[in-house]
Amino acid sequence: MTTAEPAEKPVIRVLIVDDDPLLRTGLVMMLGGADDIRVVGQAGDGGGVQALIDRLSPDVVLMDIRMPEVDGLTATEAIRSRAGAPEIVILTTFDADEHVLQALRAGAAGFVLKDTPPAEIVESVRRVAIGQPVLSPAVTRRLMARVAASGQDRRKAKAIERLAGLNDREREIAVAVGEGKSNAQISATLYLSVPTVKTHVSRILTKLDLNNRVQIALLAHDAGFLDDPKG
């Protein structure tokens, strides 16, 4: 009887976009130490990223926000508007909070701080590659709290209008996602099975024409549902 060999781990293809060559070199060395991650390319500006994506087919893009010609926000919006786009993780410091939130609204899967320990950055790439957002609820709340108030009322009205299309159960789950709860935590809180929670999340994404859980969380925040779930 022949014993089947274990399947090889799929390799996660990563593209690094940052105007700091030293940071790029550090990330290449850091990610290169993982046997399931391969850095397939680098760029110092957002302008040529789409051409690199077409040529290199990365699974994950690590994207800086502030770059000299085409910034990371503009690049993220352009990339995520296309079908089959790779996941994008924003590289940031806390001096770019409002831009980070705009990038998340545009479809980025999350963010990592540039001084994050290497092992956590590697794990963030792995999580994003399998569809899990890279967000710390505490840090996300801090970001949201520091967004400029301009346009807040307009965003709130628009968010409430969009969320009005959800039924009561879907709205409960949207609020729970906004609170940073995992599917397992939502399952325990609402007495639903994990597969049922996943189904509801998928329906919410479809109904609201969103890319990921991060955007659900931001919409719930904009609507004020995290402060008052009953609206």
Side-chain angles (χ1 to χ4, degrees), residues 68-152:
E69 295 185 22
V70 178
D71 62 70
L73 174 59
T74 302
T76 295
E77 289 176 335
I79 292 165
R80 291 300 299 174
S81 67
R82 295 181 52 169
E87 298 293 348
I88 296 177
V89 178
I90 300 302
L91 293 167
T92 185
T93 56
F94 275 123
D95 61 0
D97 293 348
E98 187 173 357
H99 289 154
V100 171
L101 282 171
Q102 289 178 52
L104 294 176
R105 288 190 177 100
F111 60 87
V112 295
L113 301 181
K114 290 186 177 181
D115 59 357
T116 298
E120 292 183 23
I121 292 181
V122 171
E123 187 57 31
S124 294
V125 169
R126 289 181 176 134
R127 285 176 54 194
V128 166
I130 60 173
Q132 296 178 359
V134 179
L135 290 174
S136 158
V139 175
T140 303
R141 283 194 295 271
R142 179 177 168 186
L143 278 171
M144 290 176 174
R146 290 175 59 179
V147 177
S150 59
Q152 188 174 26

Side-chain angles (χ1 to χ4, degrees), residues 9 15 33 51 61 84 90 94 109 113 131 133 138 162-163 184 211 218-219:
K9 253 186 179 181
L15 174 64
V61 178
I90 300 302
F94 275 123
L113 301 181
R162 291 185 69 186
L163 289 168
N211 288 304
L218 289 168
L219 203 58

Side-chain angles (χ1 to χ4, degrees), residues 170-229:
E170 289 165 347
R171 189 166 106 167
E172 280 184 307
I173 291 174
V175 170
V177 169
E179 291 169 343
K181 292 178 180 175
S182 66
N183 286 342
Q185 291 170 322
I186 297 172
S187 167
T189 302
L190 299 181
Y191 304 102
L192 301 170
S193 70
V194 171
T196 298
V197 173
K198 288 181 179 178
T199 297
H200 279 302
V201 171
S202 294
R203 286 176 181 166
I204 292 168
L205 291 170
T206 300
K207 279 187 175 184
L208 301 179
D209 192 24
L210 300 176
N211 288 304
N212 53 43
R213 297 168 72 98
V214 178
Q215 291 179 315
I216 296 176
L218 289 168
L219 203 58
H221 169 267
D222 286 347
F225 289 174
L226 303 189
D227 302 316
D228 180 11

